[in-house]
């Protein structure tokens, strides 16, 4: 792991799951880390991680976050809504719009407001998801907002160059994104889903965190989507 001393990173969505794992790995590599989100920060976060409140669905809240932070090097966006599956006939369009407002427009909003803060040599890493390129009945909203995220990143990689913009696309990762369920149900779901993957298990936050760190550190990667899915897209 490269030393990230003298590097400041901001992780929106950094108070849980994949974002938290990324914040912790970057902090372990020596980075100054600001983890932002809506929830009360977990008490067991390493003390080297500073926390901040932001609602990525609210333009004023996102603007306030970056005004308060000042210059930094890398922006990581992992905030996303918990949404279920619905086929078109059962879809509530207002729910779909609300999900897009967090996942797609939230990432666009954060990138927009962070522009003036990110130092030369820095990067933005967005998050999509396997369904962006794997059509499945009932996945219309997730697939659409993740696919839109991927083309947003590629467009911004050209438009904002030399600032680098990339995407991590997770497959099934054991986090709160799976919704409320008992520990036993979560483990059973992980075992079932993992058995169908080439690597024989679902992902953990740390598997994903390594990809975000690589994209921050490798100055030759931009406009890329990195699939971290245990082979789920195959
Ligand atoms: N886990 C998977 O299997 C999987 C698969 C494909 C893609 N992904 C993507 O990976 C990313 C990270 O998800 P995760 O698995 O790490 O789940 P997670 O632990 O639920 O992380 C999502 C984070 O987003 C935050 N968030 C939601 N709405 C927000 C808002 N309006 N403003 C600020 N923060 C907000 C949540 O915090 P609050 O609830 O406190 O707001 C939470 O901390 C998401 O984009 C997700 O779509 C995950």
């Amino acid at each position: 792991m490269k030393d990230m001393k003298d590097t400041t990173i901001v992780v929106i969505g950094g108070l849980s799951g994949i974002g938290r794992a990324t914040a912790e790995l970057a902090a372990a590599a020596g980075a100054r880390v600001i983890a932002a989100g809506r929830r009360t920060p977990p008490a067991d976060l390493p003390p080297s991680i500073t926390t901040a409140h932001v609602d990525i669905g609210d333009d004023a809240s996102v603007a306030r976050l970056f005004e308060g932070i000042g210059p930094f090097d890398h922006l990581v966006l992992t905030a996303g809504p918990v949404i279920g599956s619905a086929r078109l006939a059962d879809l509530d369009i207002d729910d779909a719009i609300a999900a897009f407002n967090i996942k797609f427009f939230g990432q666009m909003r954060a990138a927009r407001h962070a522009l003036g803060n990110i130092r030369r040599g820095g990067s933005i890493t967005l998050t999509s998801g396997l369904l962006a390129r794997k059509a499945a009945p009932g996945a219309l909203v997730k697939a659409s907002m993740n696919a839109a995220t991927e083309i947003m990143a590629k467009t911004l990689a050209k438009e904002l160059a030399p600032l680098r913009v990339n995407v991590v696309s997770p497959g099934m990762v054991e986090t709160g994104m799976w919704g409320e369920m008992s520990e036993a149900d979560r483990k059973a779901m992980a075992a079932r889903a993992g058995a169908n993957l080439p690597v024989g298990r679902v992902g953990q936050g740390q598997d994903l965190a390594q990809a975000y760190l690589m994209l921050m550190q490798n100055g030759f990667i931009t406009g890329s989507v990195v699939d971290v899915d245990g082979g789920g897209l195959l």
Side-chain angles (χ1 to χ4, degrees):
M1 189 159 61
K2 269 199 207 165
D3 190 346
M4 295 187 82
K5 200 161 67 65
D6 302 325
T7 304
T8 302
I9 79 162
V10 177
V11 187
I12 300 186
L15 300 178
S16 71
I18 294 169
R20 176 177 176 169
T22 303
E24 290 186 349
L25 192 63
R32 178 178 168 247
V33 180
I34 299 151
R38 280 187 312 187
R39 68 186 60 193
T40 305
D44 56 347
L45 267 188
S48 58
I49 299 177
T50 308
T51 60
H53 181 271
V54 71
D55 180 349
I56 206 169
D58 174 10
D59 209 59
S61 172
V62 176
R64 259 196 315 279
L65 172 75
F66 291 115
E67 278 161 22
I69 286 176
F72 64 93
D73 300 285
H74 302 285
L75 176 62
V76 173
L77 301 170
T78 63
V82 177
I83 53 168
S85 303
R87 288 174 179 250
L88 181 63
D90 304 318
L91 189 66
D92 181 325
I93 298 290
D94 289 335
D95 288 349
I97 292 170
F100 258 82
N101 188 44
I102 305 302
K103 177 82 189 234
F104 175 71
F105 288 110
Q107 297 194 83
M108 182 186 282
R109 198 175 274 127
R112 166 80 184 80
H113 284 292
L115 272 187
N117 296 52
I118 301 177
R119 294 191 188 102
R120 204 173 170 77
S123 70
I124 302 176
T125 308
L126 293 82
T127 304
S128 62
L130 169 148
L131 291 170
R133 280 164 286 125
K134 187 160 190 168
L140 177 61
V141 177
K142 286 184 190 172
S144 306
M145 64 191 190
N146 285 322
T149 295
E150 293 185 357
I151 194 61
M152 168 163 66
K154 287 175 184 289
T155 305
L156 292 180
K158 283 194 139 180
E159 191 178 308
L160 303 178
L163 180 72
R164 295 180 302 106
V165 185
N166 292 294
V167 188
V168 171
S169 176
M172 285 202 81
V173 186
E174 205 176 339
T175 68
M177 186 60 57
W178 289 3
E180 290 292 315
M181 62 179 87
S182 70
E183 191 58 21
D185 285 350
R186 177 180 305 281
K187 291 292 167 213
M189 182 169 154
R192 266 196 317 275
N196 290 324
L197 291 172
V199 298
R201 65 171 178 88
V202 297
Q204 300 297 324
Q206 297 89 322
D207 296 316
L208 277 290
Q210 290 174 16
Y212 290 90
L213 255 70
M214 185 273 287
L215 290 172
M216 287 185 245
Q217 293 175 337
N218 190 321
F220 198 56
I221 305 182
T222 194
S224 290
V225 179
V226 176
D227 294 315
V228 187
D229 61 8
L233 201 54
L234 299 175

